[in-house]
Coordinates of all heavy atoms in Angstrom, one line a residue:
W2 N 13.1 -13.4 0.9 CA 11.7 -13.7 0.4 C 11.6 -14.2 -1.0 O 10.5 -14.6 -1.5 CB 10.8 -12.6 0.7 CG 10.6 -12.3 2.1 CD1 11.3 -11.5 3.0 CD2 9.5 -12.9 2.9 NE1 10.8 -11.5 4.2 CE2 9.7 -12.3 4.3 CE3 8.5 -13.8 2.7 CZ2 8.9 -12.8 5.3 CZ3 7.7 -14.1 3.8 CH2 7.9 -13.7 5.1
G3 N 12.6 -14.1 -1.7 CA 12.7 -14.7 -3.1 C 11.9 -13.9 -4.1 O 11.2 -14.5 -4.9
F4 N 12.0 -12.6 -4.1 CA 11.4 -11.8 -5.1 C 12.4 -10.9 -5.8 O 13.5 -10.7 -5.3 CB 10.3 -10.9 -4.5 CG 10.7 -9.8 -3.6 CD1 11.1 -8.5 -4.1 CD2 10.8 -10.1 -2.2 CE1 11.6 -7.5 -3.2 CE2 11.3 -9.1 -1.3 CZ 11.7 -7.8 -1.9
D5 N 12.1 -10.5 -7.0 CA 13.0 -9.5 -7.7 C 12.3 -8.3 -8.0 O 11.1 -8.0 -7.6 CB 13.6 -10.3 -9.0 CG 12.5 -10.7 -9.9 OD1 11.4 -10.0 -10.0 OD2 12.7 -11.7 -10.7
K6 N 13.0 -7.4 -8.7 CA 12.5 -6.0 -9.0 C 11.2 -6.1 -9.7 O 10.4 -5.2 -9.6 CB 13.5 -5.2 -9.7 CG 14.7 -4.7 -8.9 CD 15.7 -3.8 -9.7 CE 16.8 -3.4 -8.9 NZ 17.8 -2.6 -9.7
T7 N 11.0 -7.0 -10.6 CA 9.7 -7.1 -11.4 C 8.5 -7.4 -10.5 O 7.4 -7.1 -10.9 CB 9.8 -8.2 -12.5 OG1 10.0 -9.5 -11.8 CG2 11.0 -8.0 -13.4
K8 N 8.7 -7.9 -9.3 CA 7.6 -8.1 -8.4 C 7.2 -6.9 -7.7 O 6.0 -6.7 -7.2 CB 8.1 -9.1 -7.4 CG 7.1 -9.6 -6.3 CD 5.9 -10.4 -6.8 CE 5.0 -10.9 -5.8 NZ 3.9 -11.7 -6.3
I9 N 8.0 -5.9 -7.6 CA 7.7 -4.6 -6.8 C 6.7 -3.7 -7.5 O 6.9 -3.4 -8.7 CB 9.1 -3.9 -6.5 CG1 10.0 -4.8 -5.7 CG2 8.7 -2.6 -5.7 CD1 11.4 -4.2 -5.5
E10 N 5.7 -3.3 -6.8 CA 4.7 -2.4 -7.2 C 5.2 -1.0 -6.7 O 5.0 -0.7 -5.5 CB 3.4 -2.8 -6.8 CG 2.9 -4.2 -7.3 CD 1.6 -4.6 -6.7 OE1 0.6 -4.0 -6.8 OE2 1.7 -5.7 -6.1
E11 N 5.7 -0.2 -7.6 CA 6.1 1.1 -7.2 C 5.0 2.2 -7.1 O 4.2 2.3 -8.0 CB 7.2 1.7 -8.2 CG 8.4 0.8 -8.3 CD 9.5 1.2 -7.3 OE1 9.2 2.2 -6.5 OE2 10.5 0.6 -7.2
L12 N 5.0 2.9 -6.0 CA 3.9 3.9 -5.8 C 4.4 5.2 -6.6 O 5.6 5.4 -6.7 CB 3.7 4.3 -4.3 CG 2.7 3.4 -3.6 CD1 3.1 2.0 -3.6 CD2 2.5 4.0 -2.2
G13 N 3.5 6.1 -7.0 CA 3.8 7.4 -7.6 C 4.5 8.2 -6.5 O 4.5 8.0 -5.3
K14 N 5.1 9.3 -7.0 CA 5.9 10.2 -6.2 C 5.1 10.7 -4.9 O 5.6 10.7 -3.8 CB 6.3 11.4 -6.9 CG 7.2 12.5 -6.1 CD 7.5 13.6 -6.9 CE 8.3 14.7 -6.1 NZ 8.6 15.9 -6.8
N15 N 3.8 11.1 -5.1 CA 3.0 11.6 -4.0 C 1.9 10.7 -3.5 O 1.1 11.1 -2.8 CB 2.4 13.0 -4.4 CG 3.4 14.2 -4.5 OD1 4.2 14.3 -3.6 ND2 3.5 14.8 -5.7
D16 N 1.9 9.5 -4.1 CA 1.0 8.4 -3.6 C 1.4 8.0 -2.3 O 2.6 8.1 -1.9 CB 1.1 7.3 -4.6 CG 0.4 7.5 -5.9 OD1 -0.1 8.7 -6.2 OD2 0.3 6.6 -6.8
F17 N 0.4 7.4 -1.6 CA 0.8 6.9 -0.2 C -0.2 5.8 0.2 O -1.3 5.9 -0.3 CB 1.0 7.8 0.9 CG -0.2 8.7 1.2 CD1 -1.2 8.3 2.2 CD2 -0.4 9.8 0.5 CE1 -2.3 9.1 2.5 CE2 -1.6 10.6 0.9 CZ -2.5 10.2 1.8
F18 N 0.2 4.9 1.0 CA -0.7 3.9 1.5 C -1.0 4.4 3.0 O -0.2 4.9 3.7 CB 0.0 2.5 1.7 CG -0.3 1.6 0.6 CD1 0.8 1.2 -0.3 CD2 -1.7 1.2 0.3 CE1 0.5 0.4 -1.3 CE2 -1.8 0.3 -0.7 CZ -0.8 -0.1 -1.6
M19 N -2.3 4.2 3.4 CA -2.7 4.4 4.7 C -3.6 3.2 5.1 O -4.1 2.5 4.3 CB -3.5 5.7 4.9 CG -4.8 5.7 4.1 SD -5.9 7.2 4.4 CE -6.6 6.7 6.0
P20 N -3.7 3.0 6.4 CA -4.6 1.8 6.8 C -6.0 2.1 6.4 O -6.5 3.3 6.2 CB -4.5 1.9 8.4 CG -3.2 2.6 8.6 CD -3.1 3.6 7.6
G21 N -6.8 1.1 6.3 CA -8.2 1.2 5.9 C -8.9 1.9 7.1 O -8.5 1.9 8.2
M22 N -10.0 2.6 6.7 CA -10.7 3.4 7.7 C -11.8 2.5 8.4 O -12.4 1.6 7.8 CB -11.3 4.6 7.2 CG -10.2 5.7 6.8 SD -10.8 7.2 6.2 CE -11.2 6.9 4.5
I23 N -12.1 2.8 9.7 CA -12.9 1.9 10.5 C -14.2 2.8 10.8 O -14.1 3.8 11.5 CB -12.3 1.5 11.7 CG1 -10.8 1.1 11.5 CG2 -13.1 0.5 12.5 CD1 -10.7 -0.1 10.5
D24 N -15.4 2.3 10.4 CA -16.6 2.9 10.8 C -17.2 2.2 12.0 O -17.8 1.1 11.8 CB -17.6 3.0 9.7 CG -18.8 3.9 9.9 OD1 -19.1 4.2 11.0 OD2 -19.4 4.4 8.9
T25 N -17.0 2.7 13.2 CA -17.5 2.0 14.3 C -18.9 2.0 14.7 O -19.5 1.4 15.6 CB -16.7 2.4 15.6 OG1 -16.9 3.8 15.7 CG2 -15.2 2.1 15.4
H26 N -19.7 2.9 13.8 CA -21.2 2.9 14.0 C -21.9 3.5 12.8 O -21.8 4.6 12.5 CB -21.4 3.8 15.3 CG -22.9 4.0 15.5 ND1 -23.6 2.9 16.2 CD2 -23.8 5.0 15.4 CE1 -24.9 3.3 16.3 NE2 -25.0 4.5 15.9
I27 N -22.6 2.5 12.1 CA -23.3 2.8 10.9 C -24.6 2.0 10.8 O -24.5 0.8 11.0 CB -22.4 2.7 9.7 CG1 -23.2 2.9 8.4 CG2 -21.6 1.3 9.7 CD1 -22.3 2.9 7.1

């Protein structure tokens, strides 16, 4: 993909990504 280490966004030790939440009725 043509990226190097400077492109990487490192998460903190206990950080995490989760999918966005879906409100099916509001």
Side-chain angles (χ1 to χ4, degrees):
W2 289 91
F4 67 89
D5 58 30
K6 288 183 179 180
T7 62
K8 178 75 174 178
I9 299 172
E10 301 172 56
E11 295 275 359
L12 276 62
K14 178 183 176 183
N15 289 308
D16 291 358
F17 63 91
F18 268 114
M19 63 174 281
M22 290 185 281
I23 317 299
D24 193 338
T25 58
H26 183 71
I27 175 170

